[in-house]
Amino acid sequence: MAVGRRKRVHWSIRARGPAIQAWPLWELPRRAVIYIIAVTTIYVTVIGFAMTATPLVLHDLLLCGAMMLCTAATVELTRRAGENAGIIRDVYAVWELPLAILLPPVYALVVPAFRFALTQRRIRRVPLHRRVFSSACVGLSYACASAAFHAVTGEGFAATAAPRVGATWVLAVAVAGVIQLAVNVGLLFPAIKGADPAVRARDMIFAREAVQNDVTELCVAVLVTLGIAVTPLTIVFAFPFVTLLQRSFRHVQLVNASRVDSKTGLLNAGTWEREAASEVARAVRTRTPLAVALVDIDHFKAVNDSFGHLAGDRALREVARTLTVFVRQYDLVGRFGGEEFALLLPQAKAADAYRIAERIRAHVGAMPIDVHDDPSAEPVRLSISIGVAALGARWNGGTAGQLTDLLAAADGALYQAKQNGRDQVCVITDDTTFGLLDGATAPAE
């Protein structure tokens, strides 16, 4: 009997081996895999210790159950709008921060796992390791917030009596909330950066809109925590307000999504043209320099035909990332269609635009692009042609057709660059054409 049982267990392990090897987790870089496993292991270990040290109290269970119902209701409200890819701005902290403050840490550790499991089932299925790792990061961040709050106030972890609320108590809740945000981002960012080195902390964490959302969510969470500390009946009155806040966040996300090209993350053509037209009109009105550049990937159809459209999409993303690295923060970068991109360079004279375009062209030409799933496969190398038009005297008559004229001139410069052999930059101004096509260099300032 024992031998037969051991054989069945051994067969079960062998049968699951291929399924485990097929997990998307193993497709990530090795350091990212090790980091994700380490954080998840710490999370499970901390939950185990917290459960053994926490007695079950009816008051705690009822309050936790009420907050979990609010979380489930918020998930259902999110289900209508769906869940976008990337970093999601939500209001779950409004229900989870009170757990970290008012209950023993084990509740704040476990509830995020419940929330992500419900999200996986009810909203959108993603690779399971992403949900597990997110649960670990959020749970550990709330454990740190709980520890910080109780260290400041001196309240015991197991205390269920009404807390002594006051100014110091509210400030301690706010500090705990800030610590939770910092720890959560600090745990998440290394994994995100490891999976996608192109991600920048400035765009993901410190963007103005992201900071505003986080501050708003934190303020509401502090108020809800204070209200629940006075009476749990606060939950009933807080829920409609939190629902409105959730809809506001989702509306902003949908508006932003409508402005962005889904494949590259750059502005889409319509948004780029609208914003570029405003910049051009301002430059004409104030008589300040400005340039437009059109970037086209040479022989891009050959990449799609040789390696497939998924490989082509990867190449597009790499070129788009390069464009964002070499331009200035106030420049506009958009995908203009197919393998063509558009740059608007305010405060840039023809020579300035030429130097920016030439740096981009040289970097893309020297950059190996991995378009294969197999890391040992040979990378692809691309070249780009760039046409640049600088705002000049012939466009100073009015503002109505300025952008159209600039785009037409840049398109003509791009055509010349391609006609002369591609992998070149051509610049057109009022009185001259220069660039690599004729061996000329940019004029001195």
Side-chain angles (χ1 to χ4, degrees):
M1 293 290 291
V3 174
R5 189 180 302 110
R6 284 197 298 271
K7 286 183 177 180
R8 287 195 296 272
V9 172
H10 180 67
W11 174 257
S12 176
I13 294 174
R14 289 184 59 188
R16 293 179 182 178
I20 295 175
Q21 292 176 0
W23 286 356
L25 172 65
W26 313 123
E27 298 176 5
L28 299 177
R30 183 179 179 84
R31 278 191 285 187
V33 173
I34 294 173
Y35 179 76
I36 289 172
I37 293 176
V39 172
T40 304
T41 302
I42 294 172
Y43 174 60
V44 173
T45 304
V46 172
I47 287 179
F49 279 115
M51 291 182 70
T52 58
T54 305
L56 295 179
V57 179
L58 181 60
H59 168 273
D60 296 349
L61 293 174
L62 291 176
L63 181 57
C64 181
M67 305 305 282
M68 290 172 70
L69 284 175
C70 291
T71 297
T74 305
V75 169
E76 288 301 314
L77 291 173
T78 303
R79 186 184 179 190
R80 294 184 179 182
E83 184 182 59
N84 300 327
I87 303 300
I88 306 299
R89 301 295 173 184
D90 51 50
V91 296
Y92 296 111
V94 173
W95 309 124
E96 293 170 351
L97 183 62
L99 293 176
I101 301 302
L102 302 174
L103 297 180
V106 66
Y107 295 96
L109 283 163
V110 172
V111 167
F114 162 78
R115 186 240 294 182
F116 282 107
L118 198 60
T119 302
Q120 177 79 351
R121 181 176 178 83
R122 301 291 293 171
I123 299 180
R124 186 166 69 98
R125 293 186 179 274
V126 300
L128 192 58
H129 72 271
R130 289 176 52 185
R131 297 295 190 196
V132 173
F133 179 68
S134 297
S135 301
C137 293
V138 175
L140 290 174
S141 67
Y142 279 119
C144 293
S146 177
F149 171 80
H150 289 90
V152 171
T153 61
E155 296 181 1
F157 285 108
T160 58
R164 298 185 299 274
V165 298
T168 302
W169 191 91
V170 172
L171 288 175
V173 175
V175 170
V178 172
I179 291 173
Q180 186 273 324
L181 282 172
V183 173
N184 185 36
V185 172
L187 290 173
L188 277 174
F189 189 72
I192 297 174
K193 186 73 173 178
D196 183 5
V199 173
R200 295 183 294 182
R202 184 186 67 186
D203 298 332
M204 191 187 88
I205 305 168
F206 300 110
R208 183 179 63 178
E209 182 183 311
V211 172
Q212 288 176 345
N213 288 348
D214 288 338
V215 170
T216 301
E217 183 185 17
L218 174 61
C219 292
V220 176
V222 171
L223 292 176
V224 172
T225 303
L226 174 62
I228 295 175
V230 175
T231 172
L233 190 62
T234 302
I235 297 173
V236 177
F237 297 96
F239 187 79
F241 180 74
V242 175
T243 299
L244 184 62
L245 184 64
Q246 172 79 343
R247 289 180 177 176
S248 174
F249 282 5
R250 289 292 170 181
H251 175 72
V252 171
Q253 290 173 357
L254 290 173
V255 169
N256 289 338
S258 69
R259 301 176 67 249
V260 174
D261 173 67
S262 59
K263 286 187 178 180
T264 62
L266 304 178
L267 296 177
N268 58 37
T271 302
W272 186 91
E273 288 193 52
R274 286 193 299 272
E275 298 190 10
S278 298
E279 288 292 337
V280 172
R282 183 181 299 110
V284 171
R285 186 172 60 254
T286 58
R287 297 187 176 277
T288 53
L290 178 143
V292 167
L294 293 181
V295 181
D296 190 81
I297 302 176
D298 298 327
H299 304 295
F300 185 70
K301 184 177 182 299
V303 177
N304 286 330
D305 293 343
S306 301
F307 305 103
H309 288 279
L310 292 179
D313 290 346
R314 291 185 183 182
L316 280 175
R317 285 192 291 271
E318 285 300 310
V319 174
R321 183 187 65 82
T322 301
L323 295 177
T324 60
V325 168
F326 280 88
V327 298
R328 302 158 298 181
Q329 186 175 2
Y330 51 85
D331 294 333
L332 294 179
V333 186
R335 185 185 179 197
F336 219 55
E339 64 272 21
E340 194 170 71
F341 303 90
L343 309 178
L344 183 109
L345 308 172
Q347 304 292 332
K349 298 180 180 179
D352 301 324
Y354 173 78
R355 282 190 285 268
I356 294 172
E358 176 56 24
R359 285 197 296 268
I360 293 172
R361 184 205 63 80
H363 184 83
V364 171
M367 176 178 64
I369 299 177
D370 183 13
V371 297
H372 309 276
D373 292 328
D374 183 4
S376 63
E378 190 70 19
V380 171
R381 293 188 180 273
L382 299 174
S383 67
I384 58 175
S385 300
I386 305 178
V388 179
L391 188 65
R394 62 175 172 174
W395 290 296
N396 283 345
T399 63
Q402 301 301 327
L403 180 60
T404 302
D405 292 339
L406 279 170
L407 286 173
D411 190 58
L414 177 62
Y415 177 78
Q416 291 189 43
K418 285 187 170 291
Q419 284 292 102
N420 205 62
R422 295 182 169 85
D423 193 19
Q424 299 180 4
V425 176
C426 177
V427 182
I428 290 181
T429 65
D430 284 353
D431 51 7
T432 185
T433 297
F434 62 89
L436 294 181
L437 75 166
D438 57 3
T441 58
E445 291 294 329

